[in-house]
Amino acid sequence: MPFTAGQDLGGLRVDLGTIPLGGVDANGVAWSLQSFDGWDSAEVRSEYTEREADHGAWASPVYLGSRPITLAGTVTAPDRETLEDALERLRSAAALGDTTLVVYELTGSKQATVRRSGKPLMAYVTDRIATYSVLVTAADPRRYSTDFQSGTVGLPFTTGGLTPPLTPPLVSTATTVSGEITAVNDGTFGTRPVFVITGPVTGPQIITQMPDGSVRFLTYTDVLFGGDQLVIDTDAKTCILNGTASRRRYLTVPSGWPEIPADAAVSFQFRAQSYNASAQMTATWRSAWM
């Protein structure tokens, strides 16, 4: 039967790069998705040491490992040439570098970044139909929302206040406008933001107010000049100036790297040694699920 471009084949829909598994692409190729293993849960890393002369064992901290994912199904094309082209595109989509895998769930679409981690298996059934099985792995096991969230603020400043000459009684009407971003994680697992600080600014600092009242500080002890951009990735734990130069040695993290806990909100505050109206801080993040 002929298929229509954009048609949904029913069942689960997954995009591996530009390949619409569970749907029909612009060339009229139907990508049936019959097996999708690994999305339900990531691997777990843990150790247990037996207690000496006692019941039970000592448990180490438990961490999620990488997330291997297998996608398998059938490709149906209008003709042999289109089928061969489709299989070539599938090989390319299961890339050696980073590829975005998007899963369309009823509660909202989620994504992961994957790379090929096994030989793609493909076999012709007829001159128009072939089977496929692709193994990819997400090094970061979190399942992220496809909705990208961000906020941008400048440094805090004060308006109003007392202006000479002063005549008693003195009444101050000063108002401080703070550089603050509220970041919400709607998921079930902690997510880690990326900060971009744009100069000019001296000694910029990011203060994270956690839900339990604790505070975490990221302090950059060097100067950013006009046009400089400093990217702080709290997951990779990197600090990169202007896209090339590591400045991790200038970044102090005295109380731990900030994270937005599951189903919670934190506030990010931007501070510096002195005020500059051109300085900005942008925070970006995605809600994350286990």
Side-chain angles (χ1 to χ4, degrees), residues 125-209:
V125 178
T126 70
D127 61 350
R128 297 188 306 107
I129 301 173
T131 61
Y132 69 89
S133 178
V134 175
L135 175 63
V136 294
T137 297
D140 182 348
R142 299 172 184 85
R143 298 179 300 139
Y144 290 101
S145 170
T146 55
D147 292 331
F148 188 70
Q149 302 180 73
S150 68
T152 299
V153 293
L155 290 167
F157 61 92
T158 302
T159 61
L162 301 176
T163 303
L166 304 179
T167 304
L170 303 179
V171 178
S172 175
T173 59
T175 300
T176 299
V177 180
S178 63
E180 182 174 304
I181 299 169
T182 298
V184 178
N185 177 11
D186 294 318
T188 60
F189 202 67
T191 190
R192 297 168 180 174
V194 173
F195 300 106
V196 179
I197 300 176
T198 303
V201 61
T202 300
Q205 184 180 61
I206 300 170
I207 303 170
T208 304
Q209 185 76 43

Side-chain angles (χ1 to χ4, degrees), residues 73-244:
T74 302
V75 186
T76 303
D79 51 58
R80 175 66 180 270
E81 183 178 358
T82 307
L83 179 60
E84 290 181 355
D85 175 71
L87 296 180
E88 288 297 345
R89 289 189 288 117
L90 179 58
R91 293 185 184 96
S92 179
L96 302 180
D98 289 344
T99 300
T100 301
L101 179 82
V102 179
V103 181
Y104 298 90
E105 301 178 348
L106 293 178
T107 56
S109 54
K110 299 182 179 68
Q111 68 178 51
T113 300
V114 301
R115 294 184 179 186
R116 180 190 296 191
S117 53
K119 176 184 176 182
L121 303 177
M122 303 175 188
Y124 288 98
V125 178
T126 70
D127 61 350
R128 297 188 306 107
I129 301 173
T131 61
Y132 69 89
S133 178
V134 175
L135 175 63
V136 294
T137 297
D140 182 348
R142 299 172 184 85
R143 298 179 300 139
Y144 290 101
S145 170
T146 55
D147 292 331
F148 188 70
Q149 302 180 73
S150 68
T152 299
V153 293
L155 290 167
F157 61 92
T158 302
T159 61
L162 301 176
T163 303
L166 304 179
T167 304
L170 303 179
V171 178
S172 175
T173 59
T175 300
T176 299
V177 180
S178 63
E180 182 174 304
I181 299 169
T182 298
V184 178
N185 177 11
D186 294 318
T188 60
F189 202 67
T191 190
R192 297 168 180 174
V194 173
F195 300 106
V196 179
I197 300 176
T198 303
V201 61
T202 300
Q205 184 180 61
I206 300 170
I207 303 170
T208 304
Q209 185 76 43
M210 303 298 292
D212 61 2
S214 63
V215 177
R216 298 183 184 180
F217 298 89
L218 294 176
T219 303
Y220 187 70
T221 57
D222 203 9
V223 176
L224 297 180
F225 298 100
D228 280 347
Q229 279 200 332
L230 185 74
V231 178
I232 302 173
D233 188 327
T234 63
D235 183 49
K237 297 179 174 54
T238 56
C239 181
I240 305 296
L241 178 64
N242 295 332
T244 56

